[in-house]
Amino acid sequence: MRPNPGLYFDRFYDGWPDRWGTKEDPAAKAGFLDRVITCAKAAKTGDALNAMLARRSDLVRSRSGRSARFTSDWRWTAGLGRSSPVENGFNWHHSLGVPYLPGSSVKGMLRSWYETWGGSDDDVTALFGPRPGKGVDLTAGRLIVLDALPVPEVKLVRDVMTPHYGPYYAGGDNPPAPGDWYSPIPIPFLTLAPGQVFDFAILPRRPRDQDILDEVMAQLAAALDWIGTGAKTAVGYGRFSPEVKS
Amino acid sequence: MSDVMFGLLAETFLHPGSGQSDGAIDLKVAREAVTGYPYIPGSAVKGALRAAMCDGGGEHKGHVDAAFGQVDGAGSVLVSDARLLLLPVRSLTRAYLWLTCPLILERLRRDLERAGLKGGDVPTLTVDRGKALTGITGRIFLEDRLFEADISKLPPAIPEVIGQLIADDGARGRLSDQLCIISNHDFRWFAENALPVQARNVLDPATKASNNLWYEESLPPDTLLYMTLTARGSADETGRTAVAGFVEGQKFLQFGGNETVGQGWVRAGRYPQPAPEGGR
């Protein structure tokens, strides 16, 4: 048995209260996430992941792209907005059963970095394509941003967030006061342990786009260091440093 | 002279869009109307091949108009749909199992025959509902559905033929460990419901609030499809030879949507791919 941890996470939650009660049960969720972590260990995803990374560097070489590896400084998580019985989802790679960051997320981060700190509007549009809008001629950008894949070993840890003002946060446009009479509710969620290596890769869309890649990879490194990827970047998750070769 | 068949092994997620929504999923992948199987329509394959050859420089560009046609004349190459052969479906036994069904294998046999290629001896199978022909013993979960493994009935000719469409030695080496044949009826459910769905949105640059949210279906990496290139008139095979040569030289091709977010890359391998050194 080498189960897909993503399948187990998505389909096999077993902490529903009896009689379909609605009471939140943080302990059941935490216990389930611990079983997901055990399942991920049993899955032994390392070999398949290494094989996929090797195939990918084949693709990157053959298309004259660039790849680089970065190590997370602190915990990393993504896909929390996906629906899940444990409240927060997680970005599982379908065929590999490991967490990953879709190319669209990497591209969005990089674009945001360029728009805030980088070149002119024309540069941004050339690299990433125009933002859709009225009267905009849509064209494809010069870059192809591949998914960021973790490099074995992939180590999951359970984390917890403890919102103190649930009714205030959930109150929409007209929330009740964020009073200290509310009880804090612990919500467990999945993260990757600090020190996780990820492989990022970018291809030129056309052969003539190769010359910009060195600059783009330098900007990627800066963006990963300063704004980070995934969820909860405002509280320190998802920052990366260039991988230190040991 | 026989036609040319290529196996297309997905290296990344693949989004051959249908431009249609079913309410729950905003952007579905294209599916054959009758079978419901995901596929890449021949027009999309042909367009991608043409664009790639135009970018491929002088030597290839010179063949484009003759092979793919112009306003006042048909091209000399017939490009088929890329048909589904193996669909990776998540399991509790392996990270995924490569699912296929008797109907797909029958179509492969007929496509090989029509192309004049050897390998037409793919045996005809019948599989009962709830059963799975595989090399794994015991009970098998595919997504959250339970199947009973039947290890005695998987004919070795099937992984042999399929393997000759896989251009990656590592993936081909795993074939007999992950291949799983279920009934046509069961397969249709997975083809309809077991594809990965990615949630995407655009964040407001100032507030980081989600401006929109859409759900997008795709075919997962390691999906295996195949396509055929045929010469329109049997007298002139120049165009077919040029396109086939280009595909073999490129090895990697990009099909379908979401190109700039890294989707659509396949590894093309011309049938029959030789068995790796040392054999299986």
Side-chain angles (χ1 to χ4, degrees):
Chain A
M1 293 286 273
R2 280 177 276 132
N4 185 316
L7 173 63
Y8 184 72
F9 179 88
D10 282 347
R11 291 274 190 271
F12 291 88
Y13 181 65
D14 56 357
W16 302 108
D18 289 344
R19 298 174 190 280
W20 298 97
T22 50
K23 192 173 180 303
E24 295 287 339
D25 187 354
K29 290 176 187 170
F32 174 70
L33 290 184
D34 287 343
R35 284 194 291 286
V36 171
I37 293 169
T38 308
C39 170
K41 280 182 190 147
K44 297 196 172 51
T45 47
D47 289 349
L49 187 49
N50 277 325
M52 186 54 90
L53 286 164
R55 277 162 64 181
R56 203 162 89 133
S57 47
D58 204 8
L59 168 66
V60 171
R61 247 195 325 275
S62 138
R63 301 296 303 183
S64 307
R66 300 271 193 288
S67 66
R69 292 185 172 186
F70 295 87
T71 309
S72 61
D73 297 337
W74 171 237
R75 287 176 176 170
W76 176 94
T77 187
L80 296 187
R82 296 179 67 98
S83 57
S84 161
V86 289
E87 285 193 52
N88 292 292
F90 199 55
N91 253 358
W92 295 100
H93 188 284
H94 186 89
S95 337
L96 292 166
V98 296
Y100 83 114
L101 196 66
S104 55
S105 302
V106 183
K107 186 183 170 189
M109 173 202 67
L110 197 55
R111 178 179 190 126
S112 166
W113 172 255
Y114 265 91
E115 283 180 348
T116 315
W117 306 103
S120 66
D121 288 356
D122 287 349
D123 288 346
V124 174
T125 302
L127 283 177
F128 301 101
R131 282 194 188 272
K134 222 177 170 184
V136 176
D137 290 330
L138 290 177
T139 52
R142 299 174 70 185
L143 303 177
I144 291 176
V145 185
L146 298 182
D147 298 340
L149 295 176
V151 177
E153 180 188 9
V154 179
K155 201 178 165 214
L156 291 162
V157 283
R158 176 160 59 79
D159 202 334
V160 66
M161 60 181 88
T162 312
H164 281 46
Y165 310 114
Y168 168 69
Y169 292 127
D173 290 338
N174 192 16
D180 59 6
W181 50 84
Y182 298 124
S183 294
I185 299 168
I187 303 172
F189 64 102
L190 275 183
T191 64
L192 282 174
Q196 178 65 52
V197 179
F198 270 84
D199 188 87
F200 290 78
I202 296 181
L203 312 177
R205 203 170 69 84
R206 298 284 174 261
R208 61 176 177 274
D209 298 325
Q210 282 174 46
D211 54 334
I212 49 172
L213 287 186
D214 285 334
E215 167 65 11
V216 169
M217 292 308 282
Q219 294 294 335
L220 175 68
L224 285 169
D225 186 14
W226 286 92
I227 59 177
T229 74
K232 302 182 82 63
T233 52
V235 286
Y237 290 58
R239 298 303 190 292
F240 288 83
S241 311
E243 183 188 26
V244 184
K245 294 271 189 312
S246 55
Chain B
M1 183 74 187
S2 58
D3 299 340
V4 179
M5 187 182 282
F6 281 96
L8 307 171
L9 179 69
E11 295 288 316
T12 63
F13 289 92
L14 192 65
H15 182 75
S18 65
Q20 285 172 354
S21 162
D22 72 348
I25 297 172
D26 302 291
L27 297 171
K28 303 275 283 182
V29 303
R31 285 182 168 79
E32 297 169 354
V34 173
T35 58
Y37 303 157
Y39 79 127
I40 312 175
S43 57
V45 177
K46 185 178 169 185
L49 287 175
R50 182 176 189 137
M53 273 183 85
C54 281
D55 282 334
E59 171 205 351
H60 302 297
K61 210 170 177 175
H63 288 287
V64 167
D65 286 343
F68 297 109
Q70 301 173 79
V71 177
D72 56 357
S76 64
V77 181
L78 310 183
V79 182
S80 76
D81 293 343
R83 289 181 154 179
L84 183 67
L85 183 50
L86 298 177
L87 179 67
V89 169
R90 301 184 296 179
S91 166
L92 292 186
T93 312
R94 300 284 184 267
Y96 71 83
L97 291 175
W98 259 315
L99 248 58
T100 190
C101 69
L103 178 58
I104 284 181
L105 294 169
E106 182 199 312
R107 292 204 310 189
L108 173 65
R109 176 178 61 75
R110 286 159 55 190
D111 286 336
L112 282 167
E113 276 173 15
R114 186 158 53 92
L117 293 163
K118 283 188 185 145
D121 52 352
V122 180
T124 309
L125 291 173
T126 49
V127 185
D128 294 335
R129 283 194 203 178
K131 291 276 167 49
L133 305 195
T134 153
I136 301 160
T137 50
R139 297 191 306 168
I140 293 173
F141 272 103
L142 292 164
E143 288 286 323
D144 48 5
R145 294 181 61 185
L146 184 59
F147 287 80
E148 201 180 313
D150 191 342
I151 58 165
S152 59
K153 288 194 196 141
L154 181 63
I158 289 174
E160 247 162 58
V161 172
I162 296 173
Q164 294 179 67
L165 286 160
I166 299 179
D168 179 73
D169 290 349
R172 182 169 29 190
R174 294 185 277 115
L175 182 59
S176 52
D177 186 49
Q178 286 178 282
L179 181 65
C180 183
I181 306 174
I182 58 175
S183 72
N184 297 336
H185 183 270
D186 288 330
F187 186 86
R188 167 129 195 179
W189 187 88
F190 289 101
E192 195 55 50
N193 299 300
L195 268 50
V197 175
Q198 192 65 43
R200 291 182 59 187
N201 61 11
V202 175
L203 299 183
D204 184 282
T207 64
K208 300 295 172 203
S210 172
N211 275 338
N212 51 1
L213 171 67
W214 75 94
Y215 289 93
E216 203 173 78
E217 199 181 41
S218 58
L219 286 163
D222 283 356
T223 299
L224 184 68
L225 307 124
Y226 66 93
M227 66 165 180
T228 312
L229 300 176
T230 309
R232 189 162 60 88
S234 53
D236 182 13
E237 296 181 340
T238 324
R240 209 267 323 271
T241 307
V243 178
F246 173 76
V247 173
E248 275 190 287
Q250 287 286 299
K251 192 153 85 176
F252 296 104
L253 295 168
Q254 197 276 338
F255 293 120
N258 291 338
E259 180 186 6
T260 65
V261 293
Q263 297 191 359
W265 289 97
V266 299
R267 183 185 297 250
R270 183 169 173 168
Y271 182 90
Q273 287 287 301
E277 294 286 317
R280 244 169 293 152

